[in-house]
Amino acid sequence: MQKISTTRTNGRKIFKGQLTIGLDLGDRSSSYCVLDEAGKILLEQKLPTTQETMKQIFGRMARCRIAMETGTHSPWVSRLLTALGHEVIVAHAQNVRLIVKSRRKDDRIDARTLARLARIDPELLSPVRHRSAQAQLHLTEIRARAGLVSARTALINAARGLVKSYGERLRKCGSFQVSREIGSGLSTELREALQPLLREVESLNERIQEYDRRIEKMAKERYPEVALLKQVKGVGDVIATTYVLRIEDPHRFRKSRDAGCFVGLQPGRRNSGESEPQMHISKQGDEYLRTLLVQGAHYILGPFGEDSDLRRWGQKLAERGGKNAKKRAVVAVARKLAVLLHRLWVSGEVYEPLRNSHKAMSAAA
């Protein structure tokens, strides 16, 4: 066992040996706690959350285990510390109950808790794996597009609400069709009042279309597997590319069914003894990817969805009736869609929409 020692350079301690560090990341400053092999606290300090400071402090240390929570800064910090040669554990922030449910919560105590949990058993932190820098950059384009879509939706809803308060209505149309011409049927005064707002919606439509072209080009040039996923009608460039970027390595799952759990579309569990209560979906994982899969499920079950095993299965669920039957069917189809996309990605098979139905017919014949 390597003995822990410290040296002093320019008035600062540089630790060597088997160390465990808990790092509580903040927007401006972060706190860290250094433990030795016996769990004794060697140092507790604050540092600016900048690349230069991180390199200066942790670059001088021998390889050690560093634990942090998921957050805004955790992707780049984890990549930087890994490049410095450290073992980095990124804890799922919502699953570390000793921190989330703590009544004595501050940065110093959180850093200490992270260090102690990482020293005992890293699995207690429910570790997650951040995507690569390139995937993060490409996903930023998709998230930027989502921000524009959200802004467009808010402006359109505002316009429709303002018009209704005067006893008039804007005609129904898709979001991409909203323009200044949509107000042609309004009174002159109201039309003039809404011109700047509708002009802004037109501008957002142009920017969104620009992102659509960039995402389509990115998918063709960088991610050929997207074409496999787009075989499913209702899955376009945005859904398929986001799915590929978020998962990155399809072999991280032992079986395709785990993909549905990864995006938080499986029911939660709280079984105890003979009690097995029915619970809502866990909603863990990437919220935006889960939203996109639900949108794809809406298309598959909607009037323009093609006939397929997935559509027929979802329709049977919806026909069972009961409260929120259609909503439950959409969520179930979204989960099945996540599993199907993973299977197509791993196997590279040609998608057959009615494969199971044809097998059943052949068996009956």
Side-chain angles (χ1 to χ4, degrees), residues 127-132 242-256 258-259 262-263 285-286 289 342 345-346:
V128 301
R129 183 174 62 183
H130 279 308
R131 62 190 67 90
S132 65
T242 304
Y243 188 91
V244 169
L245 288 173
R246 186 61 186 87
I247 293 179
E248 269 197 288
D249 179 14
H251 300 291
R252 66 190 300 180
F253 303 130
R254 187 171 57 87
K255 51 187 178 181
S256 295
D258 294 337
F262 176 76
V263 294
D286 190 276
L289 176 57
H342 183 268
W345 187 358
V346 172

Side-chain angles (χ1 to χ4, degrees), residues 147-215:
L148 293 180
V149 171
S150 178
R152 180 184 65 182
T153 301
L155 290 179
I156 294 175
N157 289 341
R160 293 191 182 280
L162 291 170
V163 168
K164 288 180 182 179
S165 64
Y166 283 88
E168 301 184 43
R169 289 179 182 272
L170 291 172
R171 68 174 185 269
K172 292 183 178 181
C173 65
S175 298
F176 272 116
Q177 297 172 318
V178 174
S179 63
R180 280 169 288 184
E181 283 68 28
I182 197 177
S184 58
L186 302 176
S187 59
T188 304
E189 297 83 359
L190 193 54
R191 184 169 62 251
E192 291 179 354
L194 291 178
Q195 280 297 308
L197 190 152
L198 294 176
R199 189 161 53 244
E200 193 63 32
V201 174
E202 284 184 344
S203 176
L204 287 174
N205 277 333
E206 293 175 1
R207 302 288 80 75
I208 292 171
Q209 289 174 347
E210 180 182 348
Y211 269 118
D212 287 340
R213 291 190 292 270
R214 294 176 62 170
I215 293 170

